[in-house]
Every structure is written in structure tokens, then in C-alpha cells.
Amino acid sequence: MSRRTTNVERRTLSFLKIAVALQTLSLFFQAATAGALLTSSRGYLLHDVGSKVMYAAAMLYLVAAILAWRPGGGPARPVLYATGFLLLASVQVALGVAHVSALHVPVGVVMFALSTLDLARVLASRPPARRAAAGA
């Protein structure tokens, strides 16, 4: 039973790493397309599509954090981080739709920085050690 639990913990940790990496990459893409938005007519379309991907990545991160916490037996803190990212993503989308660049750009920079730090934290975390079999 402990071996199965360890496999579940490893899988959920891998899913969490992938979700945070996808979120960070989508935020980087948003930063790149924000620059293209100023110089190209296609920049708007790329930034618009990227915003939807970024929001979906934030939701995926929340799902991965919940799965790592509840069935995976991990800590609850990543759920708080993921919830914060989803809230920031919601604020970011609202600011972008309202064309409030004075706040939209700094919030995007903060999101990218926090996501990069969170990615470093998740990548540095180690999978649970194998537990010794009882009676061995």
C-alpha cells in the first residue's frame, strides 16, 4: 500500500511541476506578445489567444495543486499559491479588457516573477523517498 501511495505522490508532484511550468511559459509568451502588440497588427490576436491559454494554465495549476494535496497527501500551501495566481489572472484579464495598461503591465510582471519563483520551488522539491517495507 505504501508503494502505491508513493507512486501517486510522485505522479501528482510531476503533474504539479508540469502545470507550473506551463503557467510560467504562458506568462512569458504574454510578455513577448505584449511587445508585439505595440508593433504588429497580429500582436493583438496573439496576446488575446495567449491570455486564454494563461488563464487555462492558472486553472490547471489549481487542479494540480488540489490533486497533489488531497489524494496525493502533499501540503496545502500550493493550493493557496494556485488560488492566488487564479485571482491575479482574473484581475489581469479584467485590467486588459478595460485597457488599463498602467496596472495591467505591472501586474503581469509580478505574475511572471511569482510564477518563476514558484516554478523554481516546485522543481527543487524532491519526490517522497521510498518507504521501507514493514518487517524487512
Side-chain angles (χ1 to χ4, degrees):
M1 176 95 172
S2 65
R3 185 172 185 180
R4 184 178 186 279
T5 303
T6 302
N7 287 339
V8 169
E9 290 170 351
R10 287 176 194 232
R11 268 188 273 145
T12 56
L13 184 59
S14 295
F15 183 41
L16 189 65
K17 288 178 182 181
I18 291 167
V20 176
L22 179 63
Q23 175 181 273
T24 305
L25 286 172
S26 68
L27 286 164
F28 180 76
F29 180 79
Q30 284 302 93
T33 59
L37 183 67
L38 301 173
T39 59
S40 168
S41 61
R42 292 185 183 165
Y44 174 79
L45 179 62
L46 288 172
H47 197 69
D48 184 51
V49 170
S51 70
K52 291 166 180 59
V53 172
M54 182 274 303
Y55 199 79
M59 286 191 278
L60 180 69
Y61 177 31
L62 181 59
V63 169
I66 290 170
L67 289 175
W69 169 50
R70 293 302 289 173
R77 188 167 295 205
V79 175
L80 295 174
Y81 294 159
T83 302
F85 275 112
L86 191 57
L87 288 173
L88 278 173
S90 299
V91 167
Q92 187 70 338
V93 168
L95 290 171
V97 168
H99 300 288
V100 184
S101 298
L103 294 175
H104 182 73
V105 172
V107 170
V109 170
V110 167
M111 286 179 68
F112 179 67
L114 290 175
S115 190
T116 303
L117 289 172
D118 197 27
L119 179 61
R121 179 193 60 82
V122 170
L123 290 177
S125 66
R126 297 188 178 187
R130 285 192 157 177
R131 296 181 183 111

Short mmCIF file of all heavy atoms in Angstrom, two decimals, residues 8-59:
data_model
loop_
_atom_site.label_atom_id
_atom_site.label_comp_id
_atom_site.label_asym_id
_atom_site.label_seq_id
_atom_site.Cartn_x
_atom_site.Cartn_y
_atom_site.Cartn_z
N VAL A 8 1.52 7.52 -6.36
CA VAL A 8 0.52 8.58 -6.50
C VAL A 8 1.15 9.93 -6.16
O VAL A 8 0.95 10.91 -6.88
CB VAL A 8 -0.72 8.30 -5.62
CG1 VAL A 8 -1.63 9.51 -5.56
CG2 VAL A 8 -1.47 7.08 -6.13
N GLU A 9 1.94 9.98 -5.11
CA GLU A 9 2.59 11.23 -4.72
C GLU A 9 3.56 11.70 -5.80
O GLU A 9 3.62 12.89 -6.11
CB GLU A 9 3.34 11.05 -3.39
CG GLU A 9 2.41 10.89 -2.21
CD GLU A 9 3.14 10.47 -0.94
OE1 GLU A 9 4.34 10.13 -1.00
OE2 GLU A 9 2.50 10.46 0.11
N ARG A 10 4.30 10.79 -6.39
CA ARG A 10 5.24 11.16 -7.45
C ARG A 10 4.51 11.67 -8.69
O ARG A 10 4.92 12.63 -9.32
CB ARG A 10 6.13 9.97 -7.82
CG ARG A 10 7.16 9.68 -6.77
CD ARG A 10 7.95 8.45 -7.13
NE ARG A 10 8.69 8.02 -5.97
CZ ARG A 10 9.99 7.78 -5.98
NH1 ARG A 10 10.68 7.89 -7.09
NH2 ARG A 10 10.61 7.41 -4.89
N ARG A 11 3.42 10.99 -9.06
CA ARG A 11 2.66 11.42 -10.23
C ARG A 11 2.03 12.78 -10.02
O ARG A 11 2.06 13.63 -10.93
CB ARG A 11 1.57 10.40 -10.57
CG ARG A 11 2.05 9.37 -11.56
CD ARG A 11 0.93 8.49 -12.02
NE ARG A 11 0.87 7.40 -11.04
CZ ARG A 11 -0.21 6.80 -10.62
NH1 ARG A 11 -1.37 7.13 -11.09
NH2 ARG A 11 -0.17 5.84 -9.74
N THR A 12 1.46 13.01 -8.85
CA THR A 12 0.84 14.31 -8.61
C THR A 12 1.89 15.41 -8.53
O THR A 12 1.64 16.54 -8.97
CB THR A 12 -0.02 14.31 -7.33
OG1 THR A 12 0.77 13.90 -6.21
CG2 THR A 12 -1.21 13.40 -7.48
N LEU A 13 3.07 15.10 -8.01
CA LEU A 13 4.14 16.09 -7.99
C LEU A 13 4.60 16.41 -9.41
O LEU A 13 4.84 17.56 -9.75
CB LEU A 13 5.32 15.60 -7.15
CG LEU A 13 6.47 16.57 -6.96
CD1 LEU A 13 6.00 17.86 -6.28
CD2 LEU A 13 7.59 15.93 -6.15
N SER A 14 4.67 15.40 -10.27
CA SER A 14 5.03 15.63 -11.68
C SER A 14 3.98 16.47 -12.37
O SER A 14 4.30 17.38 -13.14
CB SER A 14 5.19 14.30 -12.41
OG SER A 14 6.26 13.58 -11.89
N PHE A 15 2.71 16.18 -12.12
CA PHE A 15 1.62 16.96 -12.71
C PHE A 15 1.69 18.41 -12.24
O PHE A 15 1.50 19.34 -13.01
CB PHE A 15 0.29 16.32 -12.34
CG PHE A 15 -0.92 16.98 -12.93
CD1 PHE A 15 -0.93 17.45 -14.24
CD2 PHE A 15 -2.07 17.13 -12.18
CE1 PHE A 15 -2.06 18.05 -14.78
CE2 PHE A 15 -3.19 17.73 -12.72
CZ PHE A 15 -3.19 18.19 -14.02
N LEU A 16 2.02 18.60 -10.97
CA LEU A 16 2.15 19.95 -10.42
C LEU A 16 3.30 20.69 -11.09
O LEU A 16 3.16 21.86 -11.46
CB LEU A 16 2.38 19.86 -8.90
CG LEU A 16 2.32 21.16 -8.13
CD1 LEU A 16 0.94 21.77 -8.19
CD2 LEU A 16 2.71 20.91 -6.68
N LYS A 17 4.42 20.02 -11.30
CA LYS A 17 5.56 20.64 -11.97
C LYS A 17 5.20 21.05 -13.40
O LYS A 17 5.55 22.14 -13.85
CB LYS A 17 6.76 19.68 -12.00
CG LYS A 17 7.42 19.50 -10.66
CD LYS A 17 8.56 18.50 -10.75
CE LYS A 17 9.20 18.29 -9.38
NZ LYS A 17 10.31 17.36 -9.44
N ILE A 18 4.50 20.18 -14.10
CA ILE A 18 4.10 20.48 -15.47
C ILE A 18 3.14 21.66 -15.51
O ILE A 18 3.27 22.56 -16.35
CB ILE A 18 3.48 19.23 -16.13
CG1 ILE A 18 4.55 18.16 -16.36
CG2 ILE A 18 2.77 19.58 -17.43
CD1 ILE A 18 4.01 16.81 -16.72
N ALA A 19 2.20 21.70 -14.57
CA ALA A 19 1.22 22.78 -14.53
C ALA A 19 1.89 24.13 -14.26
O ALA A 19 1.58 25.13 -14.92
CB ALA A 19 0.15 22.49 -13.48
N VAL A 20 2.83 24.16 -13.31
CA VAL A 20 3.52 25.42 -13.00
C VAL A 20 4.40 25.83 -14.17
O VAL A 20 4.49 27.02 -14.52
CB VAL A 20 4.33 25.30 -11.70
CG1 VAL A 20 5.12 26.57 -11.43
CG2 VAL A 20 3.42 25.02 -10.52
N ALA A 21 5.06 24.87 -14.81
CA ALA A 21 5.90 25.19 -15.97
C ALA A 21 5.06 25.75 -17.11
O ALA A 21 5.45 26.74 -17.76
CB ALA A 21 6.66 23.95 -16.42
N LEU A 22 3.90 25.16 -17.36
CA LEU A 22 3.01 25.66 -18.41
C LEU A 22 2.54 27.08 -18.09
O LEU A 22 2.50 27.94 -18.97
CB LEU A 22 1.81 24.72 -18.57
CG LEU A 22 0.78 25.14 -19.62
CD1 LEU A 22 1.40 25.16 -21.01
CD2 LEU A 22 -0.40 24.20 -19.58
N GLN A 23 2.20 27.31 -16.84
CA GLN A 23 1.77 28.65 -16.44
C GLN A 23 2.89 29.67 -16.65
O GLN A 23 2.67 30.75 -17.20
CB GLN A 23 1.35 28.65 -14.97
CG GLN A 23 1.00 30.03 -14.44
CD GLN A 23 0.61 29.97 -12.99
OE1 GLN A 23 -0.55 29.74 -12.69
NE2 GLN A 23 1.55 30.18 -12.10
N THR A 24 4.11 29.32 -16.25
CA THR A 24 5.24 30.24 -16.40
C THR A 24 5.54 30.50 -17.88
O THR A 24 5.77 31.64 -18.27
CB THR A 24 6.48 29.66 -15.69
OG1 THR A 24 6.13 29.38 -14.32
CG2 THR A 24 7.63 30.64 -15.71
N LEU A 25 5.50 29.45 -18.69
CA LEU A 25 5.73 29.63 -20.13
C LEU A 25 4.64 30.49 -20.77
O LEU A 25 4.93 31.32 -21.64
CB LEU A 25 5.81 28.28 -20.83
CG LEU A 25 7.10 27.49 -20.60
CD1 LEU A 25 6.98 26.09 -21.19
CD2 LEU A 25 8.28 28.22 -21.19
N SER A 26 3.41 30.30 -20.36
CA SER A 26 2.33 31.10 -20.93
C SER A 26 2.46 32.57 -20.52
O SER A 26 2.16 33.47 -21.31
CB SER A 26 0.96 30.55 -20.56
OG SER A 26 0.70 30.71 -19.18
N LEU A 27 2.93 32.82 -19.31
CA LEU A 27 3.16 34.20 -18.87
C LEU A 27 4.32 34.83 -19.64
O LEU A 27 4.27 36.01 -20.00
CB LEU A 27 3.41 34.26 -17.37
CG LEU A 27 2.16 34.06 -16.52
CD1 LEU A 27 2.53 33.74 -15.08
CD2 LEU A 27 1.27 35.28 -16.58
N PHE A 28 5.36 34.04 -19.93
CA PHE A 28 6.46 34.55 -20.74
C PHE A 28 5.97 34.88 -22.16
O PHE A 28 6.35 35.91 -22.73
CB PHE A 28 7.60 33.53 -20.78
CG PHE A 28 8.78 33.99 -21.59
CD1 PHE A 28 9.65 34.94 -21.09
CD2 PHE A 28 9.00 33.49 -22.86
CE1 PHE A 28 10.73 35.39 -21.84
CE2 PHE A 28 10.07 33.93 -23.61
CZ PHE A 28 10.93 34.88 -23.10
N PHE A 29 5.15 34.01 -22.70
CA PHE A 29 4.57 34.26 -24.02
C PHE A 29 3.75 35.55 -24.01
O PHE A 29 3.81 36.34 -24.96
CB PHE A 29 3.69 33.08 -24.45
CG PHE A 29 3.05 33.25 -25.79
CD1 PHE A 29 3.78 33.04 -26.95
CD2 PHE A 29 1.72 33.62 -25.90
CE1 PHE A 29 3.20 33.20 -28.20
CE2 PHE A 29 1.13 33.79 -27.14
CZ PHE A 29 1.87 33.57 -28.29
N GLN A 30 3.01 35.78 -22.94
CA GLN A 30 2.22 37.01 -22.83
C GLN A 30 3.12 38.24 -22.82
O GLN A 30 2.79 39.26 -23.42
CB GLN A 30 1.35 36.98 -21.58
CG GLN A 30 0.14 36.09 -21.71
CD GLN A 30 -0.73 36.50 -22.87
OE1 GLN A 30 -0.60 35.99 -23.99
NE2 GLN A 30 -1.62 37.44 -22.64
N ALA A 31 4.25 38.15 -22.14
CA ALA A 31 5.19 39.28 -22.12
C ALA A 31 5.73 39.55 -23.52
O ALA A 31 5.84 40.70 -23.94
CB ALA A 31 6.32 39.00 -21.14
N ALA A 32 6.05 38.48 -24.24
CA ALA A 32 6.59 38.64 -25.59
C ALA A 32 5.54 39.21 -26.54
O ALA A 32 5.84 40.10 -27.35
CB ALA A 32 7.09 37.30 -26.12
N THR A 33 4.31 38.74 -26.42
CA THR A 33 3.27 39.24 -27.32
C THR A 33 2.81 40.64 -26.92
O THR A 33 2.24 41.35 -27.75
CB THR A 33 2.07 38.28 -27.39
OG1 THR A 33 1.52 38.12 -26.08
CG2 THR A 33 2.47 36.96 -27.98
N ALA A 34 3.05 41.04 -25.69
CA ALA A 34 2.73 42.41 -25.29
C ALA A 34 3.60 43.39 -26.07
O ALA A 34 3.13 44.45 -26.50
CB ALA A 34 2.93 42.60 -23.79
N GLY A 35 4.84 43.02 -26.28
CA GLY A 35 5.71 43.85 -27.11
C GLY A 35 5.27 43.84 -28.56
O GLY A 35 5.27 44.88 -29.23
N ALA A 36 4.86 42.69 -29.06
CA ALA A 36 4.38 42.58 -30.44
C ALA A 36 3.07 43.35 -30.62
O ALA A 36 2.78 43.83 -31.71
CB ALA A 36 4.19 41.11 -30.82
N LEU A 37 2.31 43.46 -29.56
CA LEU A 37 1.05 44.20 -29.59
C LEU A 37 1.27 45.65 -29.99
O LEU A 37 0.44 46.26 -30.67
CB LEU A 37 0.41 44.12 -28.21
CG LEU A 37 -0.95 44.73 -27.97
CD1 LEU A 37 -2.00 43.95 -28.74
CD2 LEU A 37 -1.28 44.68 -26.48
N LEU A 38 2.41 46.19 -29.61
CA LEU A 38 2.72 47.59 -29.90
C LEU A 38 3.23 47.80 -31.33
O LEU A 38 3.15 48.91 -31.85
CB LEU A 38 3.77 48.10 -28.91
CG LEU A 38 3.38 48.04 -27.44
CD1 LEU A 38 4.58 48.40 -26.57
CD2 LEU A 38 2.20 48.94 -27.14
N THR A 39 3.74 46.74 -31.94
CA THR A 39 4.39 46.92 -33.23
C THR A 39 3.72 46.21 -34.40
O THR A 39 4.07 46.46 -35.54
CB THR A 39 5.85 46.42 -33.16
OG1 THR A 39 5.84 45.04 -32.80
CG2 THR A 39 6.65 47.22 -32.15
N SER A 40 2.78 45.32 -34.13
CA SER A 40 2.21 44.50 -35.20
C SER A 40 0.70 44.40 -35.06
O SER A 40 0.16 44.41 -33.94
CB SER A 40 2.83 43.10 -35.14
OG SER A 40 2.13 42.20 -35.96
N SER A 41 0.03 44.26 -36.18
CA SER A 41 -1.42 44.08 -36.14
C SER A 41 -1.78 42.68 -35.64
O SER A 41 -2.86 42.48 -35.11
CB SER A 41 -2.02 44.32 -37.52
OG SER A 41 -1.48 43.40 -38.45
N ARG A 42 -0.88 41.73 -35.81
CA ARG A 42 -1.13 40.37 -35.33
C ARG A 42 -0.84 40.23 -33.85
O ARG A 42 -1.21 39.24 -33.23
CB ARG A 42 -0.29 39.37 -36.11
CG ARG A 42 -0.72 39.25 -37.54
CD ARG A 42 0.03 38.17 -38.24
NE ARG A 42 -0.37 38.15 -39.64
CZ ARG A 42 0.29 37.53 -40.57
NH1 ARG A 42 1.39 36.88 -40.27
NH2 ARG A 42 -0.14 37.55 -41.80
N GLY A 43 -0.15 41.19 -33.29
CA GLY A 43 0.18 41.15 -31.87
C GLY A 43 -1.05 41.06 -30.99
O GLY A 43 -1.05 40.35 -29.99
N TYR A 44 -2.11 41.76 -31.37
CA TYR A 44 -3.35 41.72 -30.58
C TYR A 44 -3.92 40.31 -30.53
O TYR A 44 -4.29 39.81 -29.47
CB TYR A 44 -4.39 42.70 -31.13
CG TYR A 44 -5.72 42.57 -30.42
CD1 TYR A 44 -5.90 43.15 -29.17
CD2 TYR A 44 -6.76 41.83 -30.97
CE1 TYR A 44 -7.10 43.01 -28.49
CE2 TYR A 44 -7.95 41.68 -30.30
CZ TYR A 44 -8.13 42.27 -29.06
OH TYR A 44 -9.31 42.12 -28.39
N LEU A 45 -3.98 39.67 -31.69
CA LEU A 45 -4.54 38.31 -31.75
C LEU A 45 -3.70 37.35 -30.92
O LEU A 45 -4.25 36.53 -30.16
CB LEU A 45 -4.62 37.84 -33.21
CG LEU A 45 -5.16 36.42 -33.41
CD1 LEU A 45 -6.60 36.32 -32.92
CD2 LEU A 45 -5.05 36.02 -34.86
N LEU A 46 -2.39 37.42 -31.06
CA LEU A 46 -1.51 36.54 -30.28
C LEU A 46 -1.67 36.78 -28.78
O LEU A 46 -1.73 35.84 -27.99
CB LEU A 46 -0.05 36.75 -30.68
CG LEU A 46 0.36 36.22 -32.05
CD1 LEU A 46 1.77 36.67 -32.38
CD2 LEU A 46 0.25 34.71 -32.07
N HIS A 47 -1.74 38.04 -28.38
CA HIS A 47 -1.89 38.37 -26.96
C HIS A 47 -3.25 37.92 -26.44
O HIS A 47 -3.36 37.43 -25.31
CB HIS A 47 -1.68 39.87 -26.74
CG HIS A 47 -1.40 40.24 -25.33
ND1 HIS A 47 -0.23 39.92 -24.69
CD2 HIS A 47 -2.14 40.92 -24.43
CE1 HIS A 47 -0.27 40.38 -23.46
NE2 HIS A 47 -1.42 40.99 -23.27
N ASP A 48 -4.27 38.05 -27.26
CA ASP A 48 -5.62 37.63 -26.87
C ASP A 48 -5.69 36.11 -26.68
O ASP A 48 -6.21 35.63 -25.68
CB ASP A 48 -6.63 38.09 -27.91
CG ASP A 48 -8.05 37.77 -27.51
OD1 ASP A 48 -8.44 38.11 -26.38
OD2 ASP A 48 -8.77 37.17 -28.34
N VAL A 49 -5.16 35.37 -27.64
CA VAL A 49 -5.16 33.90 -27.53
C VAL A 49 -4.29 33.47 -26.35
O VAL A 49 -4.66 32.58 -25.57
CB VAL A 49 -4.67 33.26 -28.84
CG1 VAL A 49 -4.42 31.77 -28.67
CG2 VAL A 49 -5.68 33.50 -29.95
N GLY A 50 -3.14 34.13 -26.19
CA GLY A 50 -2.26 33.82 -25.07
C GLY A 50 -2.91 34.06 -23.72
O GLY A 50 -2.65 33.33 -22.76
N SER A 51 -3.78 35.07 -23.64
CA SER A 51 -4.45 35.34 -22.36
C SER A 51 -5.38 34.20 -21.98
O SER A 51 -5.48 33.84 -20.81
CB SER A 51 -5.22 36.66 -22.43
OG SER A 51 -6.34 36.55 -23.29
N LYS A 52 -6.02 33.62 -22.97
CA LYS A 52 -6.91 32.48 -22.70
C LYS A 52 -6.11 31.26 -22.26
O LYS A 52 -6.49 30.53 -21.35
CB LYS A 52 -7.77 32.19 -23.92
CG LYS A 52 -8.80 33.29 -24.17
CD LYS A 52 -9.40 33.18 -25.55
CE LYS A 52 -10.42 34.24 -25.84
NZ LYS A 52 -9.96 35.61 -25.75
N VAL A 53 -4.97 31.04 -22.91
CA VAL A 53 -4.10 29.92 -22.53
C VAL A 53 -3.55 30.14 -21.12
O VAL A 53 -3.50 29.22 -20.31
CB VAL A 53 -2.95 29.76 -23.55
CG1 VAL A 53 -1.93 28.74 -23.07
CG2 VAL A 53 -3.50 29.37 -24.91
N MET A 54 -3.14 31.38 -20.81
CA MET A 54 -2.61 31.69 -19.48
C MET A 54 -3.67 31.45 -18.41
O MET A 54 -3.39 30.88 -17.36
CB MET A 54 -2.12 33.14 -19.44
CG MET A 54 -1.49 33.58 -18.13
SD MET A 54 -2.63 34.19 -16.86
CE MET A 54 -3.47 35.50 -17.69
N TYR A 55 -4.90 31.86 -18.68
CA TYR A 55 -5.97 31.66 -17.71
C TYR A 55 -6.26 30.17 -17.51
O TYR A 55 -6.44 29.70 -16.39
CB TYR A 55 -7.23 32.41 -18.15
CG TYR A 55 -8.20 32.63 -17.01
CD1 TYR A 55 -7.98 33.65 -16.09
CD2 TYR A 55 -9.32 31.82 -16.85
CE1 TYR A 55 -8.85 33.86 -15.05
CE2 TYR A 55 -10.19 32.02 -15.80
CZ TYR A 55 -9.96 33.04 -14.90
OH TYR A 55 -10.82 33.24 -13.85
N ALA A 56 -6.27 29.43 -18.60
CA ALA A 56 -6.47 27.97 -18.51
C ALA A 56 -5.32 27.32 -17.75
O ALA A 56 -5.53 26.39 -16.96
CB ALA A 56 -6.60 27.37 -19.90
N ALA A 57 -4.10 27.81 -17.96
CA ALA A 57 -2.94 27.26 -17.23
C ALA A 57 -3.06 27.54 -15.74
O ALA A 57 -2.69 26.69 -14.92
CB ALA A 57 -1.64 27.85 -17.79
N ALA A 58 -3.58 28.71 -15.38
CA ALA A 58 -3.78 29.03 -13.96
C ALA A 58 -4.83 28.09 -13.34
O ALA A 58 -4.68 27.64 -12.20
CB ALA A 58 -4.18 30.49 -13.79
N MET A 59 -5.87 27.78 -14.10
CA MET A 59 -6.88 26.83 -13.61
C MET A 59 -6.31 25.43 -13.50
O MET A 59 -6.58 24.71 -12.53
CB MET A 59 -8.11 26.84 -14.52
CG MET A 59 -8.96 28.07 -14.37
SD MET A 59 -10.55 27.96 -15.19
CE MET A 59 -10.09 28.36 -16.85
#
